[in-house]
Amino acid sequence: MGIDLPLIWFVIIVFSILMYVVMDGFDLGIGLLYPLVRESRDRDVMMNTVAPVWDGNETWLVMGGAGLFGAFPLAYSVILDALAIPLTIMLIGLIFRGVAFEFRFKATESHRAFWDKSFIAGSFIATFAQGVVLGAFLNGFPVEGREWAGSVFDWISPFSLFCGLGLVVAYALLGASWLIIKTEGHLLQTMRKLARPLLLALLVVMAIVSVWTPLTHQAIAERWFTTPNLFFFLPVPILVLLVSWALWRNAWLPDAHYAPFILTLVLVFLGFSGLGISIWPNLIPPDISFRAASSPPESQGFMLVGALFIIPLILVYTFWSYYVFRGKIDPEQGYH
């Protein structure tokens, strides 16, 4: 029995995307929360909570994109052709946010407000574009032969735009729960107050998407409500309710600092698992599987050698950076 290279690479890419959503989600969420925090000193603290790690978080996005290019070239070409506009908008948002991140610390007081607005705009644009990409991906792509056969604006739909707004809510909750870990005093209490309404908003988003998706995608409805997928899917809504109850309770417990963030990560993972059940085993929805889109085994095997070397290094570096900069942020600390 040989090694199932397409499946291994499918898992690597899914893992990379999940790591990106988890790790870049909370620092994008901090930018989304900026309009709700007016004090310049509090904004300094918020930015300092991610200053040492934010750029490393995007390593996982590069990893996922490179893996898709080498292991599943058909999916790479179709997805990039179909989603060229929202992906470009996302990259512009990430670049603008990164520039604002660095320039804000070096700007004079009179110019800092401009970079604050730039940081907010870049965070919102990048997050909303990622949500639109997710919604368009679920909608699927028309393919003829080995080429995308859609139109340039197929990615615009009520469902994809709603997914964009939904991801804004999810990232904002991630940002608030991260700040519960890293901050103290007035800012900590502000984040605790925001966590509950953001959780309610996220639950509403998840409920709407859970109803909207099977009603508009017959193939996804069949996957959800036929065995064996039904047995995998049934625990998801129950776990969402249990985790949400625990998060609602822990958001206001004075000694609960890490629990809200961990529980929010579990909610994100549950949403991600629902997405996986919806499209499995397709990498190009609605009907091209990851095996049909895969590159030759020789290419995947060659890449796997490099991936097995680089992924542990990224994980070790990520763990070490978060370990070194653990704990609460001192308001007197500057940019790392």
Side-chain angles (χ1 to χ4, degrees):
M1 183 176 179
I3 299 174
D4 193 342
L5 289 171
L7 180 59
I8 291 173
W9 270 106
F10 185 83
V11 171
I12 289 174
I13 291 170
V14 169
F15 175 74
S16 298
I17 295 173
L18 179 59
M19 288 294 288
Y20 171 76
V21 168
V22 165
M23 304 188 74
D24 208 38
F26 66 79
D27 69 57
L28 282 167
I30 288 172
L32 298 172
L33 293 170
Y34 250 45
L36 305 178
V37 178
R38 296 295 183 181
E39 292 288 336
S40 179
R41 182 183 175 87
D42 287 343
R43 288 184 171 187
D44 289 344
V45 172
M46 291 169 68
M47 192 169 279
N48 280 332
T49 65
V50 292
V53 296
W54 74 273
D55 46 357
N57 293 340
E58 293 172 2
T59 304
W60 295 105
L61 182 62
V62 177
M63 180 72 191
L68 189 67
F69 173 76
F72 303 102
L74 175 60
Y76 183 88
S77 64
V78 168
I79 292 171
L80 258 70
D81 279 350
L83 302 177
I85 293 176
L87 287 173
T88 301
I89 292 172
M90 179 195 76
L91 291 175
I92 291 172
L94 290 174
I95 292 169
F96 206 60
R97 181 191 66 135
V99 171
F101 199 108
E102 297 294 340
F103 276 44
R104 183 184 182 277
F105 286 103
K106 300 173 175 62
T108 61
E109 194 63 35
S110 60
H111 291 160
R112 183 166 292 188
F114 171 78
W115 293 113
D116 280 349
K117 292 182 176 66
S118 300
F119 185 60
I120 295 167
S123 299
F124 178 82
I125 290 169
T127 302
F128 184 76
Q130 288 176 21
V132 169
V133 166
L134 173 63
F137 182 79
L138 283 172
N139 281 336
F141 310 104
V143 178
E144 293 181 1
R146 295 184 65 83
E147 295 184 357
W148 172 60
S151 65
V152 70
F153 292 113
D154 280 352
W155 55 274
I156 300 178
S157 70
F159 180 74
S160 62
L161 296 176
F162 181 79
C163 286
L165 293 175
L167 197 63
V168 168
V169 174
Y171 280 6
L173 180 58
L174 274 172
S177 58
W178 169 257
L179 291 171
I180 290 173
I181 296 176
K182 302 295 289 184
T183 62
E184 296 179 297
H186 170 72
L187 184 56
L188 170 61
Q189 297 309 314
T190 299
M191 292 304 120
R192 289 193 185 277
K193 290 177 183 177
L194 288 173
R196 283 185 169 181
L198 286 172
L199 171 61
L200 291 176
L202 180 59
L203 289 176
V204 170
V205 167
M206 294 176 75
I208 292 174
V209 170
S210 297
V211 173
W212 197 338
T213 301
L215 287 178
T216 55
H217 300 85
Q218 181 62 31
I220 292 178
E222 291 173 1
R223 288 192 190 94
W224 282 15
F225 303 116
T226 56
T227 56
N229 285 356
L230 180 62
F231 299 113
F232 294 111
F233 182 73
L234 276 178
V236 173
I238 298 172
L239 289 172
V240 165
L241 292 176
L242 291 175
V243 172
S244 299
W245 175 82
L247 178 53
W248 180 273
R249 182 172 177 272
N250 279 272
W252 269 103
L253 290 179
D255 295 329
H257 295 279
Y258 286 89
F261 184 66
I262 294 171
L263 291 167
T264 304
L265 293 183
V266 174
L267 271 182
V268 171
F269 174 78
L270 289 171
F272 205 79
S273 66
L275 168 63
I277 295 169
S278 298
I279 66 171
W280 174 262
N282 296 323
L283 192 57
I284 309 176
D287 52 19
I288 298 179
S289 71
F290 68 93
R291 298 189 189 280
S294 64
S295 60
E298 295 80 6
S299 298
Q300 293 187 345
F302 179 78
M303 290 174 56
L304 185 61
V305 175
L308 293 178
F309 173 75
I310 196 67
I311 291 176
L313 287 180
I314 299 174
L315 289 171
V316 169
Y317 162 78
T318 300
F319 170 79
W320 183 248
S321 61
Y322 279 87
Y323 177 77
V324 168
F325 295 102
R326 67 193 181 279
K328 299 287 186 179
I329 292 294
D330 185 345
E332 302 303 323
Q333 282 182 309
Y335 177 62
H336 300 285

